[in-house]
């Protein structure tokens, strides 16, 4: 099979000169599960590079085709959908994983400013839009307390 030709994939990666804000390129510590997954990916990519031999194209991308070239967005989305189905999770768009992350951070009562940094939002209002959709435990306690006061029972 011949090596695929390389086309313009300017929307697939963030380069320093392509990010919206300076904060978008700042280092972000990763949870160990992500570090482990990236280490496994690096090993798989090295194996693919050995298998492709002269057909390999160095691209500096983490996720590539078996020839080292950038993955076409439609193919990436198709693979994401297939892997989600195989894992038995509800199908969502790839971009929605950012919202899922924000919702999980909110449910875990992570401070909105920290979530803003993790999600790389430039404005706290964007992060708070996510947080208003997920009631935290503190919100649930406050509403139970309010309900008790409004209902006239147990006014501790």
């Amino acid at each position: 099979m011949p090596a695929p030709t390389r086309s313009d994939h300017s929307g697939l990666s963030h380069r320093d000169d392509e990010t919206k804000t300076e904060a978008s390129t700042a280092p972000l510590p990763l949870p160990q599960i992500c570090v482990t997954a990236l280490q496994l990916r690096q090993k798989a990519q090295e194996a693919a590079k050995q298998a492709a031999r002269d057909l390999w194209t160095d691209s500096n991308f983490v996720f590539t085709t078996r020839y080292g070239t950038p993955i076409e967005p439609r193919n990436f989305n198709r693979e994401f959908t297939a892997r989600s189905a195989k894992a038995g999770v509800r199908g969502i768009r790839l971009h929605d994983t950012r919202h899922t992350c924000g919702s999980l951070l909110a449910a875990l009562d992570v401070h909105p400013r920290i979530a803003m940094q993790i999600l790389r939002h430039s404005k706290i209002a964007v992060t708070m839009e996510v947080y208003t959709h997920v009631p935290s435990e503190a919100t649930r306690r406050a509403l139970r307390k309010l309900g008790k006061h409004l209902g006239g029972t147990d006014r501790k």
Side-chain angles (χ1 to χ4, degrees):
M1 177 186 286
T5 58
R6 189 169 187 152
S7 59
D8 178 24
H9 298 282
S10 60
L12 288 179
S13 69
H14 284 295
R15 298 181 189 113
D16 289 343
D17 61 338
E18 291 181 0
T19 56
K20 290 185 208 174
T21 67
E22 199 173 297
S24 295
T25 57
L28 179 66
L30 294 174
Q32 187 58 47
I33 190 171
C34 295
V35 172
T36 300
L38 288 170
Q39 289 168 337
L40 290 171
R41 175 64 197 141
Q42 186 177 33
K43 288 178 184 174
Q45 195 171 50
E46 279 301 316
K49 185 176 183 177
Q50 295 300 317
R53 301 181 344 178
D54 291 342
L55 299 176
W56 185 263
T57 300
D58 284 320
S59 64
N60 292 323
F61 286 106
V62 175
F63 300 97
T64 62
T65 67
R66 62 182 159 195
Y67 297 109
T69 58
I71 299 172
E72 292 290 337
R74 285 189 63 191
N75 291 340
F76 194 90
N77 286 335
R78 195 174 6 258
E79 185 66 18
F80 177 78
T81 299
R83 287 178 181 243
S84 296
K86 185 176 179 182
V89 296
R90 181 174 59 94
I92 60 172
R93 295 175 308 143
L94 181 62
H95 180 74
D96 291 338
T97 59
R98 283 180 51 82
H99 297 285
T100 301
C101 179
S103 296
L104 290 171
L105 291 170
L108 294 170
D109 290 327
V110 172
H111 191 279
R113 283 276 173 198
I114 302 299
M116 178 182 149
Q117 291 174 336
I118 291 170
L119 296 169
R120 300 296 200 226
H121 291 153
S122 60
K123 295 182 168 107
I124 191 69
V126 175
T127 307
M128 293 308 295
E129 182 65 29
V130 173
Y131 272 59
T132 59
H133 297 294
V134 180
S136 69
E137 182 56 36
T139 304
R140 289 187 283 274
R141 279 194 310 271
L143 290 172
R144 280 194 299 272
K145 190 173 183 179
L146 178 62
K148 288 179 183 179
H149 281 282
L150 292 174
T153 61
D154 195 10
R155 294 184 176 230
K156 288 187 178 178

